[in-house]
Every structure is written in structure tokens, then in C-alpha cells.
Amino acid sequence: MFNYTVTEDSALYQSAERFDSAMDRLDTRLRQFSLILLALLVCVVVLNVIMRYVLSESLLWANELSRYLMVWFALLVTASLVNSDDHLNVGIVYDRFPDRVKYWLQSTTMALYVVLGLIWVNFGLEYAISAGLNAEAPAMNFPLLWVYIVIPISGTLVTLFALARLLRLVVLGETESLQNAYDVDQREGESDD
């Protein structure tokens, strides 16, 4: 559809393919880790509900731990969704654009994600260190650095995944999947849940 000057034999193309493959493997591991966090979150919440309403005893640490698990889960899944382009989109608007405009919209969006991810890392690291080292979790008695460190980690992952998607578009020329990403008729059998 578009003219690319990068050939499959070039070092840039092969490097982009290796990077993309590494990011897909990282995304798979990240999703697995996120599912573990979600399972732990559900277990802690269910245990706390049982303790509170059946045994009339509340676990002091359960509310705190569930909050921290939710923060980690949400930020890591947010980064993972950048790689798969599963964030909420307004497809009714996107589908009206011609293919060239869709290509530039996707490329620009990914470039902005890279920039915003770097900003996220910078401010997240600064916040994690300044606030995390000076505060402790009240019920669990550990430095909040272990909670806040997910901010720069997720920013780094957003940056890497956005860069991988940008390379897929610009270097690898994979535009077909992006053109149909929001087309419900093309995604038969896939669940949006």
C-alpha cells in the first residue's frame, strides 16, 4: 500500500523484527504476570470479605494490599495494551479516514506514546524515589517505594511497546492489521470483553 525504502535484507529491518519479537515475548510474560496479580487481588478481597462478614474479623492489611495490587495490575496492563492496540478507540471516526490518513494517525499516535512514555518514566522515577523512600505502608510496614516503582516501570514498558508498534508501521510495513483493527466485521470470533 505504501512505498517503503527499507528492504527485508537490510540490517534495520532485521533489527526491527528482532525488537518486535522480543517485545511480543515481553508482552506475553507481562500479561501472565498481570493475571497472577489479578488472581492474588481476587483472593485477598474474597478472604477479607469472608473474614469480615462471616467471622466478624477484618484483616487490616487486606485493604491495603488489594489497593497496591490493583495499582500494579492497572499500570502493567495499560502498558501491555499499547503493544496490542486494545485500548478504547473511536472506530466510527477512524474508519472514515482513507488508508494514508490512518497510517499517519497510527504513526503519530505511537510517536506521541514514545514521548509521553519517556515523560512518564522521568516523573514516575522522581516521584517513586522522593515519595516512596519517605513513606511506609501503614498496615504492612514496608517502604512505599515498592508500590510507586511500578510508575516508571510501566512508563518504560509503554515507551518500548509504542516504539515496537512504530517500527512495525514504519520499518516493517505492517499496516494491514492496523487498518482493520477497529473493524468489527473483520474481527469475527474475537471477543471485546
Side-chain angles (χ1 to χ4, degrees):
M1 176 174 75
F2 301 106
N3 294 331
Y4 295 96
T5 57
V6 180
T7 63
E8 291 184 19
D9 300 344
S10 71
L12 177 61
Y13 189 91
Q14 292 173 359
S15 295
E17 271 189 332
R18 282 192 302 272
F19 182 71
D20 185 47
S21 176
M23 289 301 101
D24 283 342
R25 286 191 306 274
L26 177 61
D27 187 32
T28 300
R29 298 293 179 248
L30 184 61
R31 286 176 185 246
Q32 291 169 346
F33 181 67
S34 296
L35 283 175
I36 291 169
L37 291 176
L38 183 61
L40 284 172
L41 172 64
V42 168
C43 288
V44 168
V45 170
V46 167
L47 177 64
N48 196 30
V49 168
I50 290 170
M51 292 294 292
R52 182 177 296 157
Y53 294 106
V54 175
L55 302 175
S56 297
E57 293 286 329
S58 185
L59 301 171
L60 295 176
W61 54 268
N63 287 334
E64 197 170 281
L65 181 59
S66 61
R67 208 174 19 242
Y68 301 151
L69 288 170
M70 180 56 116
V71 168
W72 270 76
F73 173 77
L75 289 176
L76 293 179
V77 167
T78 297
S80 179
L81 293 175
V82 171
N83 190 51
S84 59
D85 194 31
D86 286 334
H87 283 284
L88 292 175
N89 296 301
V90 184
I92 195 165
V93 174
Y94 180 81
D95 292 338
R96 296 186 186 271
F97 291 119
D99 289 344
R100 187 168 281 306
V101 174
K102 290 178 187 178
Y103 171 80
W104 287 109
L105 281 172
Q106 285 289 322
S107 299
T108 303
T109 301
M110 289 308 110
L112 286 172
Y113 273 166
V114 169
V115 170
L116 291 174
L118 291 171
I119 294 169
W120 188 340
V121 170
N122 181 43
F123 287 109
L125 192 57
E126 184 179 310
Y127 180 74
I129 291 171
S130 66
L133 289 176
N134 297 324
E136 262 193 10
M140 298 180 71
N141 296 324
F142 67 86
L144 284 178
L145 174 68
W146 297 109
V147 176
Y148 298 151
I149 199 67
V150 74
I151 300 169
I153 290 172
S154 62
T156 301
L157 292 169
V158 165
T159 303
L160 291 173
F161 289 145
L163 186 59
R165 291 221 29 222
L166 187 59
L167 289 173
R168 267 184 242 149
L169 276 168
V170 176
V171 176
L172 301 178
E174 294 181 12
T175 58
E176 290 80 17
S177 62
L178 296 172
Q179 292 170 10
N180 299 326
Y182 312 119
D183 190 357
V184 176
D185 298 331
Q186 297 283 336
R187 294 175 52 187
E188 289 182 22
E190 291 183 27
S191 173
D192 287 336
D193 296 333

